[in-house]
Amino acid sequence: MKAIRQLIRNPFTRGAFFSLCVIAFVGIFSPLLTPYSPIDAKPEDRLLPPGHLHYFGTDELGRDIFSRIIAGTRVSVGIALFAILLSALVGTFIGSFSGFIGRWIDQVIMRSTDVLLAFPTLVLALALSAALGPSIVNAALAIAIVKLPIYTRLARTQALSVSHTLFVKAAKTFGVSSPWIVRRHIVPNLLTPIIVQISLDIGDAILLIATLGFLGLGAQPPTPEWGAMISTGWNYLLDQWWYPTFTGAAIFIAVIVFNIIGDGIRDLLDPKAGE
Amino acid sequence: MLRLIRARLAMLVIVLFGVSIITFLMAHVLPGDPTAALAGPHPSQETLNSIRTQFGLDKPLPVQYIKYLSNLFHGNLGTSIRSQQPITQEILAFFPATLELVTVAFLLAIGIGIPLGVIAAVKKNTFSDYVIRLFAVGGVSIPLFWGGLVMILIFYAKLGWLPASGRLDIELSSPETITGFYFIDALFGGDKETFINVLKHLVMPSLALGYVQLAFIVRQVRSSMLDALSQDYYLTGRANGLSHRFLVVRYALRNALIPSITIIGLSFGSLLGGAVVTETVFDWPGMGKYVTDSILGRDFPAIMGFTVVIALAYVIINLLVDLLVYSLDPQTRK
Amino acid sequence: MSELVLEIKNLSLSFDTQGASASILKNVELHIGPGEIVGLVGESGSGKSVTALAISKLLPTQITKFSSGSIVFNGIDILASSETEVAKLRGKRIGFVFQEPMTALNPTMTIGKQLFHVIRRHSELTKTEALAKVRTALEEVLISKPEVVENQYPFQLSGGMRQRVVIAMAMAANPTLLIADEPTTALDVTVQAEILNLIAKLAKDHGTAVLLISHDLGVIANSCSRVTVLYAGEVVESGIVSEVLRKPQHPYTQALIKSLPDIADRDSLLETIAGEFPDLRNRPEGCIYAPRCPKKFEACEVRPMLRIAKDLHSVACWAVETTEK
Ligand SMILES: Nc1ncnc2c1ncn2[C@@H]1O[C@H](COP(=O)(O)OP(=O)(O)OP(=O)(O)O)[C@@H](O)[C@H]1O
Ligand SMILES: [Mg+2]
């Protein structure tokens, strides 16, 4: 609560915060908000320009683009959230055990993160989702894997510093089980940096999902995913400019909102890293 | 210096080894079965088996991996399914176009990004700072393909100022290859029309791609500049009456560059990834376009070949960056 | 006494950050004559550095609010001057030495270059002349191998050596006033005396006036002719060193001197004087020291002015008999 009040104080983050609320609202209630079905084709209405019936026009199958963008909010943002949370969860788990247990296991895990980091993010995501086969779930998995090394390293660093503190050493001497120590002492200390990292990563994940969709590797038709919509809309770019343009604007707005919020949370929880 | 290079090279070998394992796993183990793509729709079991034997896919995995590794070692990335040509050669043919695009985008990004980052830091919390920061957040948030799309709509469709695709108009013949960079080759070629045409083709793709990188640079430079500006030595410099410009450049920026370069180097990966999207959007005949075409054609070996090459390039760039930082920081140089 | 080098009168300033305002200095009085070494003492957080930085207008401009008083340096009204005008004085007529030699030098520039740029900035010397001047400046601060040191980076030097370099830079343009803000606090005890002697010698040779800031009365006793005692941003006592140290009038100064054996350890100071340091966001109406003062009585509800007790020895305390100002 206090964090939210802090975020609202700065005009920069205030705007972003309210936009975030709108996005969340649209994402949660999207089935109630779409004026038309985002899926069913209506050939007689194909490729209509924006107007009072179809705010953003219609696509090549006569579907209302506004409705598809709204329905797409849930898909794109939801999948991005899912991918990042999955990555954070698994990465935290691997990283804290790696740091806590040490020895050769730690070595192997750390070198593996080095290897994953040797690929540019998008290229690895692209190769992985191509290898897994194009589908939105696989795209989410690919993004989760791509982001994994960041969380693993973050968790490991924290685990290392915590496990050197007295109370954990004491717990070890008294023969408390490792999982218990990790859950009880390491995870709470990890929370802040992990939350900061998650908030910084969501925007990026939305972008990645959309980019994979654009390249034909993410969601498959007729799913109203933003990137895939632009990919099809591209064919109509010059004559029906509204088709890909509005959809792209939706991605841009969603990502910028998450990024501003992410920066805000970072400055709030971890002032040293910011400015 | 030599010690560092040796340590980094050893590291590089380990990492590349890991890279080969990962691409191998992606190509051979993950469910998207390459034989299915090769065999076409509804293949008979016989066709599948013969393809398996032909590509050695019937052998145990470790054997396959050794084969794969030794091929990689000899620069053999396999054969493209679509063209039946060696992938290495195809990628080499596309490489200069990508390198040209990425280099120009990168130069634009540092040329504009560093000054903007410095200005934002020096004028912290003023109007200019807010504008620059907004501009930078925009850069890390904009979907590259959409940025390209908007540019095409405005500068090509609406105003007709710039071409929207390729490296050169089709009527013009490409300049004689010297460097593989069209704009340098055209300059040497001496044909003014070709040169201008090449530059026009470069503007939109390099700006679209450079913007993302620029945004990274602005954010990073701003934050390390702020750090440097709050250091004791900066105050000493002020108390000694050194000029503002000198203090900003030689005291603050010089020190801020050391952490910045590392981050800028890491964000080079986003340029390489971004090139895939940019080339697709602007029909730029480089490796990125090659890989999206391969994705559409389910050309698995080609995708993995590209991935290996990019990883290799990225690792080498990061090594160079490390060496650069090393030579800039007197503390590590001795 | 001839014209003063520095005269601070009735200086009050506060730091205003979003919503909150902290009154850092209140009615500060300080003056320095030509060639004179004046000490400024006070415990940590008493506003010594802020006073020093104010003289060169080096405080963060966005948050600093001057509410009263004046700073006059060599007849120039500093607070009324523009940033450009003050910038011309920095390094040229006012030299600065800071507490932390470890971080006071640019880590990515050689010692010689840093000195060179300061010298070039304040003189008309040619490049070769300036390079020669770098040598002599380093020799003057008793650096034995200047030709080696000038090509080294700060991290290659010890703290004492770095402080010599900082002093060389501050003295390079032969300033009228040298402000030394705890120049020895961060150094080994053995080096401290060397640095203090160096400053005293240079000041004497060049006729430079020095404002020597310290929380260590021992340092002040050895180097200064006069001393001003600061407590929570207010001057509580000032006068000739021997007078103030031998016959301290203000209860705070008395407490300081009583705790002298411990004083080298700055953290222990606050503990040896009972009570808490006042909250500067909420400066009390009356005497600033009253809450900790053993001699407190009704009059202390009102803020005491700095009044002359005798022979230029002034005290801000109602409990002290004084002749009128
Ligand atoms: N940049 C700043 N922003 C906010 N408050 C500051 C700043 N600099 C100093 N202060 C405050 O001003 C007061 C006086 O600080 P100052 O640095 O002058 O103390 P000092 O006497 O030099 O102490 P020390 O012996 O520790 O150097 C302190 O309460 C400090 O918290
Ligand atoms: Mg101080």
Side-chain angles (χ1 to χ4, degrees):
Chain A
M1 272 308 110
K2 199 167 135 244
I4 291 177
R5 223 175 305 133
Q6 289 257 355
L7 277 179
I8 293 176
R9 265 243 292 277
N10 176 329
F12 228 40
T13 42
R14 187 191 310 141
F17 180 74
F18 288 120
S19 317
L20 181 70
C21 294
V22 173
I23 293 174
F25 180 82
V26 170
I28 294 167
F29 297 105
S30 63
L32 306 175
L33 297 171
T34 48
Y36 300 87
S37 159
I39 307 287
D40 298 339
K42 222 165 142 201
E44 66 277 17
D45 283 348
R46 62 192 299 273
L47 296 171
L48 294 177
H52 64 276
L53 281 179
H54 301 282
Y55 304 124
F56 296 164
T58 60
D59 68 7
E60 78 284 3
L61 296 174
R63 297 171 297 196
D64 179 42
I65 290 175
F66 180 69
S67 302
R68 280 180 68 76
I69 289 178
I70 290 199
T73 310
R74 179 183 276 191
V75 179
S76 299
V77 178
I79 287 289
L81 277 173
F82 167 73
I84 291 299
L85 290 180
L86 178 68
S87 187
L89 203 69
V90 177
T92 307
F93 183 79
I94 299 179
S96 39
F97 271 98
S98 177
F100 187 65
I101 292 173
R103 295 192 300 259
W104 65 272
I105 298 183
D106 186 40
Q107 281 297 316
V108 170
I109 291 176
M110 281 306 105
R111 292 296 80 77
S112 313
T113 62
D114 284 342
V115 170
L116 282 180
L117 289 171
F119 297 90
T121 324
L122 179 60
V123 173
L124 183 58
L126 190 146
L128 275 170
S129 42
L132 291 165
S135 88
I136 191 142
V137 176
N138 287 345
L141 277 180
I143 291 171
I145 295 176
V146 165
K147 293 281 179 187
L148 201 56
I150 302 176
Y151 292 97
T152 308
R153 289 187 163 197
L154 206 59
R156 176 178 177 268
T157 316
Q158 295 292 323
L160 275 182
S161 69
V162 175
S163 64
H164 286 299
T165 55
L166 216 55
F167 58 90
V168 171
K169 271 192 188 150
K172 253 182 177 168
T173 349
F174 290 120
V176 181
S177 71
S178 302
W180 187 86
I181 297 177
V182 167
R183 205 173 55 238
R184 190 59 213 284
H185 291 298
I186 297 186
V187 171
N189 276 283
L190 261 168
L191 232 47
T192 307
I194 296 279
I195 287 175
V196 169
Q197 188 60 39
I198 290 177
S199 67
L200 289 172
D201 270 342
I202 295 175
D204 199 32
I206 298 176
L207 263 186
L208 278 173
I209 285 279
T211 306
L212 290 179
F214 174 76
L215 295 173
L217 284 169
Q220 300 299 309
T223 316
E225 191 274 325
W226 292 338
M229 285 165 68
I230 297 191
S231 181
T232 334
W234 198 266
N235 303 320
Y236 307 94
L237 172 61
L238 293 183
D239 297 316
Q240 285 85 28
W241 59 269
W242 58 86
Y243 184 174
T245 305
F246 286 117
T247 316
I251 304 176
F252 183 42
I253 291 169
V255 177
I256 206 168
V257 163
F258 275 102
N259 278 340
I260 292 176
I261 294 282
D263 287 353
I265 291 181
R266 194 252 332 264
D267 294 348
L268 215 69
L269 294 182
D270 186 10
K272 269 201 316 279
E275 322 187 6
Chain B
M1 186 81 178
L2 266 176
R3 265 225 333 266
L4 178 94
I5 296 183
R6 219 176 304 137
R8 292 296 321 234
L9 282 179
M11 189 71 196
L12 186 128
V13 170
I14 296 178
V15 166
L16 287 180
F17 187 65
V19 165
S20 74
I21 294 183
I22 290 194
T23 45
F24 172 78
L25 289 180
M26 287 196 289
H28 297 252
V29 181
L30 289 182
D33 189 349
T35 43
L38 275 173
H42 315 298
S44 68
Q45 195 57 42
E46 264 165 60
T47 335
L48 280 180
N49 286 344
S50 78
I51 292 174
R52 286 230 163 83
T53 334
Q54 187 194 334
F55 285 87
L57 296 177
D58 51 347
K59 306 234 171 58
L61 277 180
V63 178
Q64 288 187 42
Y65 175 69
I66 301 289
K67 182 90 200 325
Y68 175 77
L69 194 63
S70 103
N71 278 341
L72 274 189
F73 203 73
H74 292 99
N76 177 0
L77 295 169
T79 309
S80 157
I81 295 177
R82 281 176 309 150
S83 65
Q84 299 297 328
Q85 298 297 312
I87 293 166
T88 313
Q89 277 175 29
E90 292 195 324
I91 286 184
L92 278 180
F94 287 115
F95 185 70
T98 300
L99 192 61
E100 179 181 32
L101 176 61
V102 167
T103 310
V104 174
F106 183 64
L107 292 179
L108 278 176
I110 32 181
I112 305 172
I114 293 181
L116 284 186
V118 171
I119 293 172
V122 172
K123 300 195 183 283
K124 187 189 170 193
N125 287 342
T126 64
F127 184 69
S128 341
D129 180 29
Y130 284 130
V131 171
I132 293 173
R133 279 167 74 187
L134 202 60
F135 180 66
V137 183
V140 285
S141 308
I142 198 167
L144 231 173
F145 48 90
W146 188 67
L149 176 152
V150 172
M151 283 169 94
I152 289 178
L153 281 178
I154 296 174
F155 296 108
Y156 170 74
K158 184 95 191 141
L159 300 171
W161 290 353
L162 295 167
S165 65
R167 296 174 84 184
L168 194 65
D169 282 355
I170 12 178
E171 308 88 79
L172 298 169
S173 50
S174 44
E176 197 186 333
T177 309
I178 306 168
T179 58
F181 282 23
Y182 271 21
F183 76 98
I184 295 178
D185 292 352
L187 194 64
F188 283 126
D191 181 4
K192 204 171 147 213
E193 194 194 341
T194 314
F195 180 64
I196 291 184
N197 194 270
V198 165
L199 283 191
K200 276 187 169 176
H201 278 83
L202 249 177
V203 174
M204 285 205 287
S206 56
L207 277 181
L209 180 56
Y211 182 27
V212 180
Q213 176 84 356
L214 180 148
F216 274 112
I217 294 178
V218 171
R219 285 155 72 98
Q220 178 54 42
V221 169
R222 178 178 180 275
S223 94
S224 30
M225 271 299 282
L226 284 179
D227 186 50
L229 290 172
S230 69
Q231 294 293 322
D232 285 356
Y233 57 80
Y234 189 78
L235 186 64
T236 313
R238 286 221 302 149
N240 278 318
L242 296 173
S243 77
H244 185 62
R245 176 191 286 265
F246 184 82
L247 281 170
V248 167
V249 176
R250 294 295 297 279
Y251 272 57
L253 181 58
R254 175 65 213 267
N255 286 290
L257 275 182
I258 294 172
S260 297
I261 287 175
T262 312
I263 304 288
I264 292 173
L266 286 176
S267 76
F268 208 91
S270 75
L271 266 188
L272 295 173
V276 176
V277 179
T278 315
E279 291 180 5
T280 310
V281 166
F282 292 100
D283 232 336
W284 188 266
M287 294 192 292
K289 182 83 175 65
Y290 175 72
V291 78
T292 38
D293 290 346
S294 305
I295 290 170
L296 291 179
R298 309 280 291 121
D299 190 343
F300 240 72
I303 300 173
M304 291 310 149
F306 165 82
T307 309
V308 170
V309 171
I310 292 291
L312 180 65
Y314 190 38
V315 170
I316 291 177
I317 287 165
N318 281 329
L319 176 66
L320 294 179
V321 165
D322 272 4
L323 295 179
L324 185 61
V325 168
Y326 193 73
S327 67
L328 277 177
D329 188 353
Q331 202 131 192
T332 55
R333 204 160 51 199
K334 287 285 153 175
Chain C
M1 205 194 282
S2 59
E3 204 192 315
L4 291 173
V5 169
L6 179 74
E7 185 168 31
I8 299 179
K9 272 187 163 162
N10 197 29
L11 182 70
S12 305
L13 68 82
S14 58
F15 284 164
D16 295 0
T17 47
Q18 288 165 348
S21 170
S23 152
I24 305 293
L25 298 183
K26 185 85 187 168
N27 307 339
V28 169
E29 304 270 342
L30 184 78
H31 62 269
I32 304 178
E36 194 182 15
I37 302 188
V38 172
L40 184 61
V41 275
E43 63 197 271
S44 191
S46 56
K48 305 183 297 288
S49 297
V50 171
T51 309
L53 292 172
I55 298 169
S56 268
K57 262 200 173 170
L58 288 169
L59 293 168
T61 42
Q62 303 95 323
I63 60 167
T64 311
K65 223 180 114 254
F66 292 94
S67 44
S68 79
S70 65
I71 300 174
V72 177
F73 169 76
N74 265 348
I76 305 167
D77 184 347
I78 297 282
L79 295 186
S81 305
S82 69
E83 165 66 20
T84 358
E85 285 165 335
V86 179
K88 281 191 198 127
L89 302 176
R90 294 187 195 129
K92 187 161 175 59
R93 308 203 35 208
I94 305 176
F96 239 108
V97 176
F98 294 100
Q99 176 172 343
E100 274 298 334
M102 302 315 273
T103 51
L105 292 166
N106 183 347
T108 55
M109 202 186 270
T110 59
I111 302 298
K113 280 218 179 103
Q114 296 190 47
L115 251 170
F116 173 81
H117 287 294
V118 172
I119 290 169
R120 274 303 280 277
R121 177 81 181 159
H122 301 302
S123 66
E124 304 288 306
L125 298 181
T126 64
K127 213 176 152 191
T128 15
E129 286 168 346
L131 285 174
K133 179 85 198 286
V134 169
R135 272 296 155 80
T136 50
L138 288 174
E139 278 163 3
E140 214 183 358
V141 292
L142 307 179
I143 286 178
S144 52
K145 289 207 181 95
E147 67 285 352
V148 177
V149 171
E150 70 187 13
N151 291 318
Q152 286 182 314
Y153 287 92
F155 76 93
Q156 294 168 295
L157 303 181
S158 68
M161 287 291 267
R162 287 191 217 185
Q163 198 62 304
R164 286 169 198 275
V165 173
V166 175
I167 293 171
M169 287 210 288
M171 292 298 291
N174 204 359
T176 326
L177 174 66
L178 179 71
I179 300 174
D181 188 355
E182 310 208 27
T184 58
T185 306
L187 300 176
D188 285 350
V189 188
T190 45
V191 189
Q192 287 187 1
E194 286 173 32
I195 295 290
L196 285 173
N197 290 339
L198 177 66
I199 291 177
K201 178 178 181 306
L202 287 174
K204 189 149 171 264
D205 292 354
H206 295 262
T208 315
V210 180
L211 176 62
L212 180 63
I213 296 175
S214 180
H215 61 262
D216 185 343
L217 282 169
V219 167
I220 302 288
N222 289 332
S223 315
C224 305
S225 55
R226 284 190 300 112
V227 60
T228 293
V229 183
L230 210 55
Y231 177 75
E234 293 184 29
V235 175
V236 291
E237 182 159 6
S238 83
I240 314 261
V241 166
S242 52
E243 273 288 320
V244 174
L245 295 191
R246 212 150 5 94
K247 295 181 206 142
Q249 301 289 315
H250 197 283
Y252 175 64
T253 321
Q254 290 166 352
L256 265 187
I257 290 170
K258 230 186 269 159
S259 64
L260 199 55
D262 305 332
I263 219 161
D265 176 9
R266 67 220 231 90
D267 292 331
S268 71
L269 181 56
L270 270 174
E271 291 157 27
T272 43
I273 302 177
E276 266 181 40
F277 197 73
D279 179 7
L280 296 178
R281 279 166 303 176
N282 226 333
R283 191 176 279 280
E285 282 295 307
C287 172
I288 188 77
Y289 190 61
R292 295 166 87 177
C293 184
K295 297 183 185 159
K296 173 172 72 174
F297 62 115
E298 305 89 69
C300 303
E301 304 272 312
V302 178
R303 187 194 305 278
M305 318 175 287
L306 197 61
R307 296 164 307 150
I308 297 172
K310 62 173 207 204
D311 303 341
L312 299 172
H313 188 160
S314 346
V315 188
C317 178
W318 295 125
V320 178
E321 290 292 320
T322 56
T323 53
E324 278 312 306
K325 194 173 178 178

